[in-house]
Amino acid sequence: HVQLVESGGGSVQVGGSLQLSCTAHGEVKRVGCMGWFRQAPGKARQGVAVISPDGNIRYYGDSVKGRFTISQDDDTNTVHLQMTTLRPEDTAIYSCAADRTSCGETWEVFPWDYRAPGTQVTVS
């Protein structure tokens, strides 16, 4: 089993920046892909960004490309999401997630084997 522990999030003004972090514990070798999805009230779940365990493969949702950067730290099994130029439409609950499947072009519809509870990001 894999447990995910998130940190970061909160409230920020339009144009500001925030960083989210997520550390995997347990059977981390099972993880083939890790990242975040988000969900705003009344809206469908949306993939934000994912990264492979070696950091060589990254995917971003169209709405965050050029503004968000995902990175990983092998030593601590931690993935970071640096969010810049934040917009009101970025307001959502951001959930860290991991899947046993390797990161690929279908990442946005991954079922996500492991999920963290989520953290609120509010941009106003």
Side-chain angles (χ1 to χ4, degrees):
H1 187 68
V2 175
Q3 291 180 315
L4 303 174
V5 179
E6 296 173 306
S7 62
S11 298
V12 67
Q13 291 185 333
V14 173
S17 300
L18 281 175
Q19 179 169 281
L20 304 179
S21 298
C22 180
T23 301
H25 300 272
E27 299 177 285
V28 295
K29 291 190 182 300
R30 285 175 168 257
V31 175
C33 190
M34 191 165 159
W36 276 268
F37 64 88
R38 67 187 183 186
Q39 189 157 20
K43 294 189 177 181
R45 190 184 83 181
Q46 182 182 41
V48 177
V50 295
I51 190 166
S52 59
D54 62 8
N56 290 332
I57 299 173
R58 307 178 194 201
Y59 289 94
Y60 294 93
D62 288 342
S63 62
V64 307
K65 284 179 183 175
R67 300 188 298 122
F68 291 11
T69 302
I70 192 167
S71 60
Q72 53 84 246
D73 183 337
D74 263 346
D75 292 338
T76 61
N77 298 316
T78 298
V79 175
H80 304 285
L81 183 70
Q82 181 65 39
M83 305 183 290
T84 64
T85 321
L86 284 161
R87 305 166 179 168
E89 53 264 40
D90 294 317
T91 296
I93 294 175
Y94 285 68
S95 298
C96 175
D99 202 90
R100 287 170 286 180
T101 305
S102 298
C103 291
E105 293 184 354
T106 61
W107 69 277
E108 290 180 287
V109 294
F110 274 4
W112 298 112
D113 295 317
Y114 312 104
R115 306 183 189 186
T119 186
Q120 179 70 44
V121 170
T122 302
V123 185
S124 60

